[in-house]
Structures are given as C-alpha cells and as structure tokens.
Coordinates of all heavy atoms in Angstrom, one line a residue:
R26 N -7.9 92.2 16.5 CA -9.2 93.0 16.2 C -8.9 94.0 15.1 O -7.7 94.1 14.6 CB -9.7 93.7 17.4 CG -10.1 92.7 18.5 CD -10.6 93.4 19.8 NE -9.5 93.9 20.6 CZ -8.9 93.2 21.5 NH1 -9.2 91.9 21.7 NH2 -7.9 93.7 22.3
G27 N -9.9 94.7 14.6 CA -9.7 95.7 13.5 C -8.7 96.7 13.8 O -8.1 97.3 12.9
D28 N -8.4 97.1 15.1 CA -7.4 98.1 15.4 C -6.0 97.5 15.6 O -5.1 98.1 16.0 CB -7.8 98.9 16.6 CG -7.9 98.0 17.9 OD1 -7.7 96.7 17.8 OD2 -8.2 98.6 18.9
G29 N -5.9 96.1 15.3 CA -4.6 95.5 15.4 C -4.2 95.0 16.8 O -3.2 94.4 17.0
T30 N -5.1 95.2 17.8 CA -4.8 94.7 19.1 C -5.3 93.3 19.4 O -6.1 92.8 18.6 CB -5.5 95.7 20.2 OG1 -6.9 95.6 20.0 CG2 -5.0 97.1 20.0
F31 N -4.7 92.7 20.4 CA -5.2 91.4 20.8 C -4.9 91.2 22.3 O -4.2 92.1 22.8 CB -4.3 90.3 20.0 CG -2.8 90.3 20.4 CD1 -2.3 89.5 21.3 CD2 -2.0 91.2 19.7 CE1 -1.0 89.5 21.7 CE2 -0.7 91.2 20.0 CZ -0.1 90.4 21.0
T32 N -5.6 90.3 22.8 CA -5.3 90.0 24.3 C -5.2 88.6 24.5 O -5.9 87.7 24.0 CB -6.6 90.5 25.1 OG1 -6.8 91.9 24.8 CG2 -6.4 90.3 26.6
L33 N -4.2 88.2 25.3 CA -4.0 86.9 25.8 C -3.8 87.0 27.3 O -3.0 87.8 27.8 CB -2.7 86.2 25.2 CG -2.8 85.8 23.8 CD1 -1.4 85.5 23.2 CD2 -3.6 84.5 23.7
D34 N -4.5 86.2 28.1 CA -4.4 86.2 29.5 C -4.1 84.9 30.1 O -4.1 83.9 29.4 CB -5.6 86.8 30.2 CG -6.9 86.0 29.9 OD1 -6.8 84.9 29.4 OD2 -8.0 86.5 30.2
S35 N -3.8 84.9 31.4 CA -3.4 83.6 32.1 C -2.2 82.8 31.5 O -2.2 81.7 31.6 CB -4.6 82.8 32.2 OG -5.7 83.4 32.8
L36 N -1.3 83.7 31.1 CA 0.0 83.0 30.5 C 1.0 82.9 31.7 O 1.0 83.6 32.6 CB 0.6 83.9 29.4 CG -0.2 84.0 28.1 CD1 0.3 85.1 27.3 CD2 -0.1 82.6 27.4
P37 N 1.8 81.9 31.6 CA 2.9 81.7 32.7 C 3.9 82.8 32.6 O 4.2 83.3 31.5 CB 3.5 80.4 32.3 CG 3.2 80.1 30.9 CD 1.9 80.9 30.6
G38 N 4.5 83.2 33.7 CA 5.5 84.2 33.7 C 6.8 83.7 33.1 O 7.0 82.5 32.9
G39 N 7.7 84.6 32.7 CA 8.9 84.2 32.2 C 9.2 84.9 30.8 O 8.5 85.7 30.4
S40 N 10.3 84.5 30.2 CA 10.7 85.0 28.9 C 10.1 84.2 27.8 O 10.4 83.0 27.8 CB 12.2 85.1 28.7 OG 12.7 86.1 29.7
W41 N 9.4 84.7 26.9 CA 8.7 83.9 25.8 C 9.0 84.7 24.5 O 9.5 85.8 24.5 CB 7.2 83.9 26.1 CG 6.9 83.1 27.4 CD1 6.8 83.6 28.6 CD2 6.8 81.7 27.5 NE1 6.5 82.6 29.5 CE2 6.5 81.4 28.8 CE3 6.9 80.7 26.6 CZ2 6.3 80.2 29.3 CZ3 6.7 79.4 27.1 CH2 6.4 79.1 28.4
T42 N 8.5 84.1 23.4 CA 8.6 84.6 22.1 C 7.1 84.7 21.6 O 6.4 83.7 21.5 CB 9.4 83.9 21.1 OG1 10.8 83.8 21.7 CG2 9.5 84.5 19.8
A43 N 6.7 85.9 21.2 CA 5.4 86.1 20.5 C 5.7 86.1 19.0 O 6.6 86.6 18.5 CB 4.8 87.4 20.9
E44 N 4.7 85.4 18.3 CA 4.8 85.3 16.8 C 3.5 85.8 16.3 O 2.5 85.3 16.7 CB 5.2 83.9 16.4 CG 5.3 83.8 14.9 CD 5.6 82.3 14.5 OE1 4.7 81.5 14.3 OE2 6.8 82.1 14.3
A45 N 3.6 86.6 15.2 CA 2.4 87.1 14.5 C 2.5 86.5 13.1 O 3.5 86.5 12.5 CB 2.3 88.6 14.5
R46 N 1.3 86.1 12.6 CA 1.2 85.6 11.3 C 0.0 86.1 10.6 O -1.1 86.3 11.2 CB 1.0 84.0 11.4 CG 2.2 83.3 11.9 CD 1.9 81.8 11.9 NE 3.1 81.0 12.2 CZ 3.8 80.5 11.2 NH1 3.5 80.6 10.0 NH2 5.0 79.9 11.5
A47 N 0.1 86.4 9.3 CA -1.0 87.0 8.5 C -0.7 86.5 7.1 O 0.4 86.5 6.6 CB -1.1 88.5 8.7
I48 N -1.8 86.2 6.4 CA -1.7 85.8 5.0 C -1.1 87.0 4.2 O -1.4 88.1 4.3 CB -3.1 85.5 4.4 CG1 -3.6 84.2 5.1 CG2 -3.0 85.3 2.9 CD1 -5.0 83.9 4.8
G49 N 0.0 86.7 3.4 CA 0.6 87.6 2.6 C 1.9 88.2 3.2 O 2.6 89.0 2.6
F50 N 2.2 87.8 4.5 CA 3.3 88.4 5.2 C 4.2 87.3 5.7 O 3.8 86.2 6.1 CB 2.9 89.2 6.4 CG 2.2 90.5 6.0 CD1 0.8 90.5 5.9 CD2 2.9 91.6 5.7 CE1 0.1 91.6 5.6 CE2 2.2 92.8 5.3 CZ 0.8 92.8 5.3
T51 N 5.5 87.5 5.8 CA 6.4 86.7 6.5 C 6.2 86.8 7.9 O 6.1 87.9 8.5 CB 7.9 87.0 6.2 OG1 8.1 87.0 4.8 CG2 8.9 86.2 6.8
P52 N 6.1 85.6 8.7 CA 5.8 85.8 10.1 C 6.9 86.6 10.8 O 8.0 86.6 10.4 CB 5.9 84.3 10.6 CG 5.6 83.5 9.4 CD 6.1 84.3 8.2
V53 N 6.5 87.3 11.9 CA 7.4 88.1 12.7 C 7.4 87.6 14.1 O 6.4 87.3 14.6 CB 7.0 89.6 12.5 CG1 5.7 89.9 13.0 CG2 8.1 90.5 13.2
R54 N 8.6 87.7 14.7 CA 8.7 87.2 16.1 C 9.2 88.4 17.0 O 10.1 89.2 16.5 CB 9.6 86.0 16.2 CG 9.0 84.8 15.7 CD 9.9 83.6 15.9 NE 9.2 82.4 15.4 CZ 9.8 81.2 15.5 NH1 10.9 81.0 16.0 NH2 9.1 80.2 15.0
Q55 N 8.8 88.4 18.3 CA 9.2 89.5 19.2 C 9.4 88.8 20.6 O 8.5 88.2 21.0 CB 8.2 90.6 19.2 CG 8.5 91.7 20.0 CD 9.5 92.6 19.4 OE1 9.6 92.6 18.2 NE2 10.2 93.4 20.2
P56 N 10.6 89.0 21.3 CA 10.6 88.5 22.7 C 9.7 89.3 23.5 O 9.5 90.5 23.3 CB 12.1 88.8 23.0 CG 12.6 89.8 22.1 CD 11.7 89.7 20.8
V57 N 9.2 88.6 24.6 CA 8.3 89.3 25.5 C 8.6 88.7 26.9 O 8.7 87.5 27.0 CB 6.8 89.2 25.1 CG1 6.4 87.8 25.1 CG2 5.9 90.0 26.1
S58 N 8.6 89.5 27.9 CA 8.9 89.1 29.3 C 7.5 89.3 30.0 O 7.0 90.3 30.1 CB 9.9 90.0 29.9 OG 10.1 89.6 31.2
L59 N 7.1 88.1 30.5 CA 5.8 88.1 31.2 C 5.9 88.0 32.7 O 6.7 87.2 33.2 CB 4.9 86.9 30.7 CG 4.7 86.9 29.1 CD1 3.9 85.7 28.8 CD2 3.9 88.2 28.7
R60 N 5.1 88.8 33.4 CA 5.1 88.7 34.9 C 3.6 88.6 35.3 O 2.7 89.2 34.7 CB 5.6 89.9 35.5 CG 7.1 90.0 35.3 CD 7.8 91.2 36.0 NE 7.1 92.4 35.4 CZ 7.1 93.6 36.1 NH1 7.8 93.7 37.2 NH2 6.5 94.6 35.6
R61 N 3.3 87.8 36.3 CA 1.9 87.6 36.7 C 1.4 88.9 37.4 O 0.2 89.1 37.3 CB 1.9 86.5 37.8 CG 2.1 85.2 37.2 CD 2.0 84.1 38.3 NE 2.3 82.8 37.7 CZ 1.3 81.9 37.5 NH1 0.1 82.2 37.8 NH2 1.6 80.8 37.0
S62 N 2.2 89.8 37.9 CA 1.8 91.0 38.5 C 1.4 92.2 37.6 O 0.9 93.2 38.1 CB 2.8 91.4 39.6 OG 4.0 91.7 38.9
A63 N 1.8 92.1 36.4 CA 1.6 93.3 35.5 C 1.4 92.8 34.1 O 2.1 91.9 33.6 CB 2.8 94.2 35.6
P64 N 0.5 93.5 33.3 CA 0.3 93.2 31.9 C 1.5 93.5 31.1 O 2.3 94.4 31.4 CB -0.9 94.0 31.5 CG -1.1 95.0 32.5 CD -0.4 94.6 33.8
A65 N 1.8 92.8 30.0 CA 2.8 93.1 29.1 C 2.3 93.6 27.8 O 1.2 93.2 27.4 CB 3.7 91.9 28.9
T66 N 3.0 94.4 27.1 CA 2.6 94.9 25.8 C 3.7 94.6 24.8 O 4.9 94.8 25.1 CB 2.4 96.5 25.9 OG1 1.4 96.8 26.9 CG2 1.9 97.0 24.6
V67 N 3.3 94.2 23.7 CA 4.3 93.9 22.6 C 3.8 94.5 21.3 O 2.6 94.4 21.0 CB 4.5 92.4 22.4 CG1 3.3 91.7 22.1 CG2 5.7 92.2 21.4
A68 N 4.6 95.2 20.6 CA 4.3 95.8 19.3 C 5.0 95.0 18.2 O 6.2 94.8 18.3 CB 4.6 97.3 19.2
M69 N 4.2 94.6 17.2 CA 4.8 93.8 16.2 C 4.4 94.4 14.8 O 3.2 94.7 14.6 CB 4.2 92.3 16.3 CG 4.6 91.8 17.6 SD 3.8 90.2 17.9 CE 5.1 89.1 17.1
T70 N 5.4 94.5 13.9 CA 5.2 95.1 12.6 C 5.7 94.1 11.6 O 6.9 93.8 11.6 CB 5.9 96.5 12.5 OG1 5.4 97.3 13.5 CG2 5.6 97.1 11.1
F71 N 4.9 93.8 10.6 CA 5.4 93.0 9.5 C 6.2 93.8 8.5 O 5.9 95.0 8.2 CB 4.2 92.4 8.7 CG 3.5 91.4 9.4 CD1 2.2 91.7 10.0 CD2 4.0 90.1 9.5 CE1 1.5 90.7 10.8 CE2 3.3 89.1 10.2 CZ 2.0 89.4 10.8
D72 N 7.4 93.3 8.1 CA 8.3 94.0 7.2 C 8.2 93.5 5.8 O 8.2 94.3 4.9 CB 9.7 93.8 7.6 CG 10.1 94.4 8.9 OD1 9.5 95.5 9.2 OD2 10.9 93.9 9.7

C-alpha cells in the first residue's frame, strides 16, 4: 500500500524467504519464520 505495508495470510508455518520487487530496484530477499499462532513482521529495504 502507499505506506509500504502489505498483508499475506493463511501461509504455512516454517522458515521461508520473502522477496520484494519494484520497478527500478534490484529485488531484495529476507528470511522470515512463520508460525500459525502469531503474525510475523518483516522489514525490507531496497539498496
């Protein structure tokens, strides 16, 4: 969204990799650990 936030729900638990892509930037990846019992937060910054 305009404030840079996003939401994904109903993802399987475990260790995953989140990837952000935007025109004009090199994609950036960040590891994220997901659990069904609690939401996860990941901050991603394009370099």
Side-chain angles (χ1 to χ4, degrees):
R26 296 178 278 276
D28 62 356
T30 63
F31 64 95
T32 303
L33 284 165
D34 60 13
S35 303
L36 291 165
S40 295
W41 298 92
T42 301
E44 180 178 88
R46 293 177 167 266
I48 293 174
F50 293 95
T51 301
V53 61
R54 290 183 175 181
Q55 182 77 23
V57 61
S58 181
L59 302 176
R60 294 183 300 162
R61 291 182 181 254
S62 60
T66 302
V67 62
M69 303 174 84
T70 303
F71 289 102
D72 292 327

